[in-house]
Amino acid sequence: MTFDRNSKGVFVIAATPFADDGTPDGDSTDRMVDFYLQAGVSGMTILGIMGEAPKMSPDESRAFAERVLARVDGRVPVIVGVSGPSLDNMARLTGMVMGAGAAGVMVAPMPGLGTEVKLRSYFAQVCDALGPDVPICLQDYPQTTGVQMSVETIIALTVDHPQIVMLKHEDWPGLTKLSRVRAETEVGDVPRLSILTGNSALFLAQEMQRGADGAMTGFAYPEMMVQVVARHMAGDVDGAEDLFDAYLPMVRYEQQLGLGLAIRKEVLRRRGVIASAKVRAPGPTLTPRDHEEIGRLMARLDKRLGELG
């Protein structure tokens, strides 16, 4: 399966399960894939920033990607994060995952690209290295990369390189930017660009109202994102926002910078998806008070969902 300029829905950012000793956990990986599929996701994205890809060896990354792709078995498209400082390594990983059945790759700009000229030159090299047949999701996450991409640059990149078909929008504040990308693509000679949003779904309701096609993030309740996007696409804008509001305390809590991944993994562990909430070092550690708060938030969410029916 592939993804293209019209892709919609929820491409969940998958966690990378580790055992308590930090080794990759294959059984939890299988359960996680099944969990995401049962939640109704439209696709998956693996080896992203929240997937702890920078903490994995090349062999571990390849083995994890192969396991996920085999478990998915073509049921939904899988996008693989391949960002890194070496174009040769990026090309090698891309070739491997595409050969194993990936739908395409996600690439973020390399830190230090401070001008439009540098950004356009860099992505020209990336597209040349990966080849024209590899669909690319362009990740715009300046909070992590330190690289600011203007609307004009995003549009220029997708015009110059037809294989850049999707934008993962994570700029913050970014609602006006999202509105502009939607309004200024699929106009004249500018092709349509699929827009999926991140930031732990914190602004999902408003992003859908601004023209996003769905979400690409790893919130530990993917069924919420699936249902919110589906309701919005069916025209039930208020119903989508009402459901989102029920989950908002948990969304907000998980969004804590520096701690969010540990919270997300602990919630997935409590939901029976993964066996361990291990985050590879260096990484955050939850305190006993954090654990109490997570339990309280999960219980309140269950109660609220029961009230909503």
Side-chain angles (χ1 to χ4, degrees):
M1 300 186 70
T2 187
F3 68 98
D4 56 32
R5 295 182 179 278
N6 295 299
S7 292
K8 302 177 185 295
V10 175
F11 281 60
V12 67
I13 293 283
T16 301
F18 299 111
D20 286 337
D21 64 1
T23 57
D25 183 348
D27 290 340
S28 288
T29 296
D30 292 344
R31 282 198 307 275
M32 180 185 67
V33 169
D34 294 345
F35 168 73
Y36 289 144
L37 291 172
Q38 290 163 9
V41 300
S42 309
M44 296 183 199
T45 304
I46 61 174
L47 298 178
I49 293 171
M50 291 297 286
E52 300 180 78
K55 301 177 185 178
M56 299 171 69
S57 71
D59 287 343
E60 287 176 330
S61 295
R62 285 192 292 269
F64 177 71
E66 288 172 346
R67 183 149 194 154
V68 170
L69 288 164
R71 190 73 175 186
V72 171
D73 195 24
R75 286 174 285 181
V76 298
V78 177
I79 299 173
V80 181
V82 298
S83 302
S86 167
L87 290 180
D88 289 339
N89 290 340
M90 191 184 298
R92 276 192 289 269
L93 179 57
T94 297
M96 186 281 295
V97 298
M98 293 301 291
V105 300
M106 180 169 68
V107 181
M110 185 175 67
L113 301 175
T115 67
E116 181 176 5
V117 172
K118 289 180 179 179
L119 276 164
R120 293 181 70 167
S121 174
Y122 175 72
F123 277 100
Q125 294 176 68
V126 168
C127 291
D128 182 62
L130 302 190
D133 296 329
V134 177
I136 293 175
C137 171
L138 173 65
Q139 185 176 16
D140 181 18
Y141 194 14
Q143 299 93 295
T144 295
T145 64
V147 177
Q148 296 287 338
M149 282 195 285
S150 68
V151 172
E152 290 78 10
T153 295
I154 291 169
I155 290 174
L157 289 173
T158 196
V159 169
D160 293 346
H161 309 288
Q163 70 198 92
I164 298 178
V165 297
M166 178 182 285
L167 172 68
K168 185 183 181 188
H169 166 76
E170 298 193 89
D171 203 349
W172 182 355
L175 291 173
T176 297
K177 185 176 187 178
L178 191 161
S179 294
R180 283 195 57 200
V181 174
R182 174 52 70 227
E184 296 175 31
T185 54
E186 201 172 10
V187 176
D189 295 331
V190 180
R192 189 183 196 280
L193 188 63
S194 174
I195 305 173
L196 301 184
T197 63
N199 286 321
S200 294
L202 188 59
F203 308 105
L204 180 58
Q206 287 69 43
E207 288 164 339
M208 293 301 298
Q209 294 165 27
R210 294 283 190 129
D213 293 303
M216 183 187 284
T217 192
F219 180 51
Y221 290 85
E223 63 271 30
M224 178 277 279
M225 300 187 291
V226 169
Q227 294 168 28
V228 166
V229 170
R231 288 187 184 192
H232 184 91
M233 290 181 173
D236 184 11
V237 176
D238 287 337
E241 196 156 4
D242 289 342
L243 179 62
F244 175 81
D245 288 348
Y247 286 88
L248 183 55
M250 183 62 77
V251 174
R252 180 182 59 203
Y253 192 78
E254 191 187 278
Q255 178 62 20
Q256 295 179 74
L257 293 178
L259 196 62
L261 178 58
I263 295 169
R264 178 175 300 169
K265 280 193 157 183
E266 175 60 17
V267 174
L268 290 172
R269 186 194 67 80
R270 294 187 186 208
R271 300 192 74 190
V273 180
I274 57 179
S276 171
K278 173 70 175 180
V279 176
R280 276 191 168 175
T285 301
L286 299 177
T287 67
R289 187 61 181 270
D290 295 329
H291 283 280
E292 292 174 10
E293 287 173 346
I294 291 170
R296 175 174 168 79
L297 285 166
M298 292 180 72
R300 286 180 59 81
L301 175 58
D302 287 342
K303 180 176 181 291
R304 180 59 181 147
L305 293 177
E307 293 170 351
L308 291 175

